[in-house]
Amino acid sequence: MMATSAGLPLLLPLLLLLLLLGQPQAGAGAHREAVVCAGNACYTAHWGRLSAAEAQLHCSKNGGNLATVRSEEEAWHIQQALTQLLESEVTMAGWVGKFWIGLQREKGKCLDPSLPLKGFSWVGGGEDTLYTNWNKEVRSSCISRRCVSLLLYLSQPSQASHLPKWSESPCGSPTSPGSKIEGFVCKFSFKGMCQPLALGGPGWVNYTTPFNATSSSLEAVPFASAATVACGAREDGQEHYLMCREKAPDVFDWGNLGPLCVSAQYGCSFNNGGCQQDCFEGGNGSFRCGCRPGFRLLDDLVTCASRNPCSSNPCGGPATCEQGPHGKSYTCHCPQGYQLDSSQRDCLDVDECQESPCPQECVNTPGSFRCECWVGYEPGGPGEGVCQDVDECAPGRSPCSQECTNTDGSFYCSCEKGYVLAGEDSTQCQDVDECADMENGLCDSLCLNTQGSFRCGCLPGWELGLDGVSCTPGPTSLAPPSGPPQGEGAGDREGKLVYSATVSRPTRGPEGTSKEAPTTKGPSFPRNAPITLAAPDVLAPSGPPGVWMEPSTHHAMATTGRVENTDEDSVAKQSDEGTDGQKLLLFYILGTVVAILLLLALALGLLVYRKRRAKREEEKEKKPQNAADSYSWAPERAESRALENQYRV
């Protein structure tokens, strides 16, 4: 007992803290509601930690939807409903709650920053409104459904500078409604409203709306609502049951003449006798209602209406009211870009894009439209048309690595001869390796690939033809020459691989062969024969080594393989001034080294092959042919001698 008593002081603060923290949640679970009616709609605010889908289901069961906030006026009505909901709750200072409204974005629909609603749409219909009140930038996620709630500072809900902000988030689920979701707001629309009942004496009134909400104080009562009126302060007072009905088009009243619960004892002193404007007392405690100048008394003998039918703002949305003759009628007019709806009192947006006013793309907007250009076009300047082609191939803009061709609204890339298009977007060019096709080779013997082209060459002992492709047999000798050939310098050397100058692709015949290639086959190596390499035919130097000649300036000699230079001065000038000769000389030397290495490898391989073959023959000779080879046969005896070897007893 002592331990228990000692623990009570410690438990009491903890219990009080839990009660304080649990108060908002307790209110949220009770599903209480507040009602505000204005214009032709009623707004109800509810406690309840539900997902957006569950909240919409709750609203639709009573004939409504999650609330829209299409204008600042509508935002104030919802603010008023939320304020009433919070008046009976004990809230914590600085406590923030969220209440679902009917603004949602379906899965797969992405953010559109150009629109006020950012790609969201109202549950009850409509994808765009001019009024927005976003709390922060909207996320551009398209992979999940997103819903909007009102972010309400519950400690200061009714301050004019604190209209609820819009906060977008996941729509929640039955098990996880969403972070800080405390309730939701519904909206119910009606064809008209009745004025609230005014009592001329003591009593009370209670309204029951078609969406099952009850209230004793409404600024406007929706059509088809029921009213229960009890007169007097005692339980046995007189009761009245009334219904808000449509008496005529756009005229709604209770069907009652005069104020209810009138009392001669009080006259006009109690609630102005139930009159909307003026109350006039008569004799014997009687009184009647009247209206001020410019107004007229309606048929219920209580309510006053302006003699100008437009004073009650009967036209909705952007429509304006125009008074008819004698002040007995009115007409609603819509601004440009809108048209009257079926009720002739509100306006609908006109989709101007149905008439194709734009040369390319048309985007409809509320009350108007705008023209846009397709991809590959851009808006033109004055006198240039609405949209003009974008020149993607202009200097500094071309995406192609080599050649770019502009087209109407697009472009395409192409490559120079010897290259093919490459890359994912086909804007880059890649060199074609002409030497890779071994079966249908462009050269009879050796082929050297270059950037955008190729070169042909011949093995030692062969000469390159005038066509720069074929090889012809050259002279061979068993001994090196005693000196350089007459009339030629040191350029006619032995052991050189001959390459032609850069060769353009020959025209291919129908069978894949070159039309210019001769029928002479490529060179082959005779076995065990010394080869004296001929001087190059096409690129033979006429002076110092390294001067390469074009095929068109040379003529092959039939016996010696030497070339006659028809323009010695121009060749000497190329040798002195050009740098291309040095590069070609490098290729010449490298080709010679490669040829020598190939010959050495061939000789070495031949030597190894012969040694192995000789070794196998030697082993074969030593190996016995059969089992009898290791034995020797005894000489045969003469038959006569064999008879003499008889055993004797």
Side-chain angles (χ1 to χ4, degrees), residues 229-298:
V229 181
C231 298
R234 295 178 297 178
E235 296 181 358
D236 57 351
Q238 185 180 5
E239 291 189 355
H240 302 272
Y241 301 95
L242 305 173
M243 178 73 70
C244 178
R245 299 174 181 177
E246 186 177 13
K247 182 178 180 181
D250 300 330
V251 178
F252 300 87
D253 64 17
W254 298 99
N256 181 66
L257 300 179
L260 295 172
C261 303
V262 293
S263 172
Q265 178 182 359
Y266 295 98
C268 292
S269 62
F270 185 90
N271 195 26
N272 196 36
C275 301
Q276 186 181 31
Q277 289 189 359
D278 296 333
C279 180
F280 302 98
E281 293 186 354
N284 302 323
S286 62
F287 61 91
R288 64 182 179 86
C289 297
C291 298
R292 300 165 189 166
F295 293 86
R296 57 188 178 88
L297 189 65
L298 298 182

Side-chain angles (χ1 to χ4, degrees), residues 338-404:
Y338 293 88
Q339 62 184 6
L340 287 172
D341 62 3
S342 58
S343 68
Q344 300 297 305
R345 295 193 305 170
D346 207 342
C347 296
L348 296 176
D349 174 55
V350 176
D351 188 0
E352 295 85 356
C353 294
Q354 296 294 331
E355 300 179 0
S356 303
C358 301
Q360 292 188 355
E361 188 73 21
C362 177
V363 179
N364 185 55
T365 59
S368 184
F369 69 97
R370 68 175 182 270
C371 295
E372 295 182 352
C373 296
W374 296 331
V375 177
Y377 295 86
E378 60 186 359
E384 298 180 355
V386 179
C387 294
Q388 63 180 8
D389 174 58
V390 175
D391 186 4
E392 293 87 355
C393 298
R397 178 184 283 182
S398 174
C400 304
S401 62
Q402 290 188 1
E403 299 179 2
C404 178

